[in-house]
Amino acid sequence: MKIQIKRVYEAIGAADGKRILVDRLWPRGVSKAQAQLDFWPKELTPSNALRQWYHEDIEQRWDEFQRRYQAELAEQQEALQQLRDLARQEKVTLLTAAKNAGKNHAEVLKRVLEV
């Protein structure tokens, strides 16, 4: 599979392949024309309740956030499979506005897709 993660604020690259926004909320300061998205599968983003809970204490809640988000993703098998199939055919870039490169939902989603 060819899956990478980028911040939605980074420059668009020729190697991005399909550009998929994986945030529930639209990123501030980015127009739809600037983002050049191919997909925005909101069903694969963390629920509002989970997202808000996690952002209250990112460092302390990371492990539990991963478990809870994986449980939410487990209920979205069809959408996950569609994204897996796409990533097997061509490069996919998961886009997020998250600042923390190592501890964000896009990292969890990427690991789930690669299984």
Side-chain angles (χ1 to χ4, degrees):
M1 266 187 227
K2 304 163 220 147
I3 301 172
Q4 68 178 352
I5 298 171
K6 283 177 74 170
R7 289 196 75 217
V8 70
Y9 303 106
E10 293 179 45
I12 296 169
D16 285 355
K18 294 290 184 186
R19 293 174 51 85
I20 302 170
L21 182 63
V22 295
D23 288 350
R24 183 160 297 262
L25 303 176
W26 187 262
R28 289 183 183 166
V30 177
S31 72
K32 291 185 181 191
Q34 289 171 316
Q36 294 185 23
L37 298 181
D38 292 294
F39 302 107
W40 186 13
K42 291 183 185 178
E43 67 275 17
L44 295 179
T45 65
S47 66
N48 281 328
L50 179 59
R51 182 180 55 77
Q52 290 168 352
W53 172 84
Y54 176 55
H55 284 114
E56 289 174 7
D57 191 347
I58 291 172
E59 291 302 318
Q60 295 299 314
R61 294 182 174 178
W62 173 240
D63 291 336
E64 181 63 22
F65 169 79
Q66 292 178 84
R67 284 188 284 279
R68 290 183 186 189
Y69 183 36
Q70 288 172 3
E72 288 184 357
L73 288 172
E75 298 176 10
Q76 300 297 331
Q77 289 303 313
E78 186 176 329
L80 283 170
Q81 192 57 49
Q82 288 175 348
L83 197 46
R84 276 189 196 105
D85 292 345
L86 180 62
R88 286 186 181 110
Q89 297 169 11
E90 59 188 294
K91 188 163 203 163
V92 167
T93 299
L94 304 179
L95 299 169
T96 181
K99 294 177 185 176
N100 190 328
K103 295 182 178 177
N104 67 61
H105 65 284
E107 295 288 343
V108 177
L109 177 58
K110 181 178 186 269
R111 284 195 308 270
V112 168
L113 289 168
E114 291 175 335
V115 171

